[in-house]
Amino acid sequence: MKTYDIYFTDGRSTDNKGFSIKTEEKAIHMAEDMLEKGNSYIREYAGGTIMVVDSEGEMVWSKPIPD
C-alpha cells in the first residue's frame, strides 16, 4: 500500500515532513492547507515548490510556494 509525504524544495535543499499519509487526496489537502496557513517550511522555502510524493518516489502533486 502506498503512503504519501509532503516535500519542500527551493533548488538548493529539500525537506520532507516524514508523514505516512494513507491517501493521496488527504496528502494534497494537507499540503494546500500548509500553503494557505504559511507554516515554517512555507516561509523557509518561499519561491520554491511544495510537493506530494508517494512511497515509491513518484511526485503526484506540486505547486509553487509564493515569495
Side-chain angles (χ1 to χ4, degrees):
M1 182 172 141
K2 286 186 186 181
T3 59
Y4 301 86
D5 196 3
I6 298 172
Y7 282 74
F8 305 84
T9 186
D10 63 5
R12 293 178 310 237
S13 62
T14 302
D15 274 312
N16 66 300
K17 295 295 283 181
F19 294 144
S20 291
I21 303 165
K22 292 184 181 359
T23 68
E24 181 179 334
E25 295 78 16
K26 184 173 181 178
I28 291 169
H29 178 73
M30 288 178 71
E32 289 174 334
D33 207 38
M34 288 178 186
L35 268 174
E36 186 178 315
K37 293 180 180 173
N39 75 2
S40 63
Y41 280 111
I42 298 298
R43 290 188 296 275
E44 184 176 341
Y45 287 95
T49 305
I50 184 172
M51 302 169 284
V52 173
V53 178
D54 71 21
S55 53
E56 296 174 356
E58 182 180 340
M59 179 181 57
V60 296
W61 176 91
S62 71
K63 274 199 174 177
I65 301 170
D67 285 328

